[in-house]
């Protein structure tokens, strides 16, 4: 019996043939990138507008703070307001602020009388040292324990680490920081005071002794951040790996003779990496923002402590500048995560 060959349709397809899966083209990914860049720009603009109007609702008069409580005349107060543009209507202050911010000029701090950008660049390395060290530790710890707990799901280790992570993640960071100061700085019962109560350095060391001194001051705030933050990474990594654990391709991999550890490392963990990668980049954006409460509790001279000082005045240019930097870092890292995810999984963004 002769076979009948199916004739192609007008559109070039053959009846009965399954359509080939569509792959992400360069133009498709380009449109995806353009959409994410546009979204990031709109978000940054929203932050710019929100930051300007939000912090003007804070009670307090910055001009009276600048006078230091001294008796000054009405003319002197008016001169201060003219110097910093506070005598202008809000719409004029807003347009001036936006125009300068787009050129990198964040204004002049009321309390320090220096450009805001200079104060930010001065405190930024201290924040990166603290939050960057904590970020590396809690990310590595969370990923390791999360994948280990998920792969041995239901066991004692899984229940213990999941319960501990949930408990620590729900603890307020400032409360845990104060508790660590009481126990390990002041001393409680048989535990002597082992670490400084705050600050970044003792002020009387140089060279390698200075490095050790900074590391000594770094221990308690880093432990606070790691204890509070590692739980989130652990829970996300565990949940993602549990979703992949029962997949058919892992059964096929085992049937081909791969050992359990090879199945986990070569197949399960890479396929479960998408939500974890997103979380890591979000946390990376928060490294620049720092942790205001932890830096305040431990008197750490970073961006978080500077933000708290600026709020107490209120130092509007410094508060607005820090708020913009914090938000820009998070928006940028979210955008980077969005751009990387389609490269890890082509289904994203379709």
């Amino acid at each position: 019996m002769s076979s009948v060959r199916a004739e192609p349709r007008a559109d070039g397809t053959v009846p009965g043939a399954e359509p080939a899966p569509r792959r992400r083209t360069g133009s498709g990914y380009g449109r995806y990138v353009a959409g994410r860049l546009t979204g990031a720009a709109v978000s940054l603009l929203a932050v710019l507008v929100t930051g300007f109007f939000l912090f003007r609702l804070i009670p307090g008069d910055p001009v009276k703070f600048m006078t230091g409580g001294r008796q000054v005349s009405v003319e002197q107060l008016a001169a201060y307001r003219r110097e910093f543009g506070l005598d202008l209507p809000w719409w004029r202050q807003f347009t001036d602020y936006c125009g300068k911010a787009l050129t990198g000029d964040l204004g002049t701090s009321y309390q320090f009388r220096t450009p805001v950008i200079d104060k930010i660049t001065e405190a930024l390395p201290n924040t990166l040292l603290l939050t960057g060290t904590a970020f590396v530790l809690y990310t590595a710890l969370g990923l390791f324990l999360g994948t280990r707990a998920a792969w041995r799901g239901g066991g004692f280790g899984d229940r213990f680490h999941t319960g501990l992570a949930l408990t620590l993640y729900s603890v307020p960071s400032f409360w845990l920081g104060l508790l660590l100061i009481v126990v390990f700085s002041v001393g409680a019962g048989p535990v002597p005071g082992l670490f400084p109560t705050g600050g970044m350095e003792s002020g009387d060391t140089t060279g390698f002794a200075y490095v050790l001194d900074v590391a000594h001051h770094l221990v308690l705030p880093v432990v606070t951040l790691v204890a509070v933050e590692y739980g989130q990474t652990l829970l996300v990594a565990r949940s993602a790996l549990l979703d992949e654990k029962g997949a058919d391709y892992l059964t096929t991999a085992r049937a081909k003779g791969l050992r359990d550890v090879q199945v986990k490392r070569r197949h399960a963990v890479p396929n479960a990496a998408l939500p974890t990668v997103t979380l890591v980049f979000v946390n990376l954006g928060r490294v620049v923002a720092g942790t205001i409460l932890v830096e305040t509790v431990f008197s750490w001279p970073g961006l978080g402590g500077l933000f708290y000082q600026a709020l107490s005045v209120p130092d509007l240019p410094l508060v607005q500048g820090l708020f913009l930097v914090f938000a820009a870092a998070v928006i940028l890292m979210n955008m980077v995560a969005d751009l990387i995810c389609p490269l890890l999984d082509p289904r994203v963004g379709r």
Side-chain angles (χ1 to χ4, degrees):
M1 182 175 63
S2 61
S3 60
V4 179
R5 182 170 63 88
E7 295 295 331
R9 299 191 185 100
D11 59 359
T13 61
V14 178
E18 293 293 332
R22 296 180 61 185
R23 295 183 178 180
R24 181 181 294 280
T25 62
S27 60
Y29 185 67
R31 289 193 296 270
Y32 177 81
V33 172
R36 290 299 178 269
L37 291 175
T38 303
V42 172
S43 298
L44 197 59
L45 180 61
V47 167
L48 198 66
V49 175
T50 303
F52 177 84
F53 291 102
L54 176 64
F55 295 115
R56 276 162 174 73
L57 301 177
I58 301 175
D61 189 350
V63 175
K64 291 183 178 179
F65 174 85
M66 286 184 282
T67 62
R70 302 187 307 272
Q71 289 289 342
V72 294
S73 63
V74 176
E75 291 76 12
Q76 289 175 312
L77 291 176
Y80 275 121
R81 295 185 183 278
R82 284 194 302 270
E83 179 182 354
F84 292 97
L86 295 175
D87 60 328
L88 300 174
W90 275 28
W91 67 267
R92 179 64 182 279
Q93 294 183 43
F94 175 69
T95 55
D96 290 347
Y97 168 69
C98 290
K100 292 180 180 179
L102 293 176
T103 62
D105 183 4
L106 300 179
T108 302
S109 169
Y110 294 160
Q111 55 182 325
F112 298 106
R113 304 298 181 91
T114 57
V116 169
I117 193 66
D118 291 345
K119 294 300 298 182
I120 292 176
T121 54
E122 178 185 336
L124 180 60
N126 300 337
T127 290
L128 293 180
L129 175 62
L130 172 60
T131 57
T133 302
F135 168 78
V136 172
L137 293 176
Y138 70 67
T139 300
L141 185 64
L143 291 176
F144 173 75
L145 294 178
T147 55
R148 187 180 180 88
W151 202 249
R152 301 178 180 180
F156 172 77
D158 179 27
R159 296 194 301 271
F160 173 77
H161 289 300
T162 303
L164 182 62
L166 286 170
T167 302
L168 291 176
Y169 188 54
S170 63
V171 172
S173 57
F174 71 91
W175 182 84
L176 182 59
L178 291 173
L179 183 64
L180 291 178
I181 289 176
V182 170
V183 176
F184 295 103
S185 294
V186 179
V191 181
L194 301 174
F195 299 98
T197 56
M200 182 176 171
E201 56 179 300
S202 300
D204 55 354
T205 56
T206 57
F208 186 67
Y210 172 77
V211 175
L212 293 178
D213 183 43
V214 172
H216 192 215
H217 285 75
L218 197 63
V219 171
L220 289 187
V222 166
V223 168
T224 302
L225 289 176
V226 170
V228 172
E229 297 292 342
Y230 95 97
Q232 183 184 25
T233 307
L234 182 150
L235 295 172
V236 170
R238 176 183 178 275
S239 177
L241 189 54
L242 283 176
D243 290 341
E244 297 289 334
K245 190 177 177 182
D248 294 337
Y249 70 90
L250 297 183
T251 304
T252 303
R254 292 188 180 95
K256 290 181 177 180
L258 291 180
R259 293 181 301 169
D260 194 59
V261 66
Q262 292 175 319
V263 173
K264 181 177 74 171
R265 292 178 180 176
R266 295 182 185 179
H267 301 283
V269 172
N271 282 284
L274 194 61
T276 308
V277 168
T278 303
L279 177 63
V280 167
F281 275 95
V282 171
N283 288 337
L284 190 59
R286 293 168 55 196
V287 167
V288 177
T291 305
I292 298 174
L293 294 177
V294 173
E295 289 192 4
T296 302
V297 167
F298 289 97
S299 302
W300 190 265
L303 296 179
L306 190 63
F307 188 76
Y308 177 78
Q309 293 179 21
L311 279 176
S312 63
V313 173
D315 190 339
L316 296 179
L318 187 54
V319 170
Q320 292 169 174
L322 287 169
F323 182 72
L324 181 61
V325 169
F326 294 166
V330 175
I331 292 172
L332 176 62
M333 288 298 103
N334 272 284
M335 184 187 67
V336 172
D338 287 340
L339 298 182
I340 289 178
C341 285
L343 303 178
L344 299 176
D345 188 347
R347 295 171 296 179
V348 177
R350 283 186 175 180

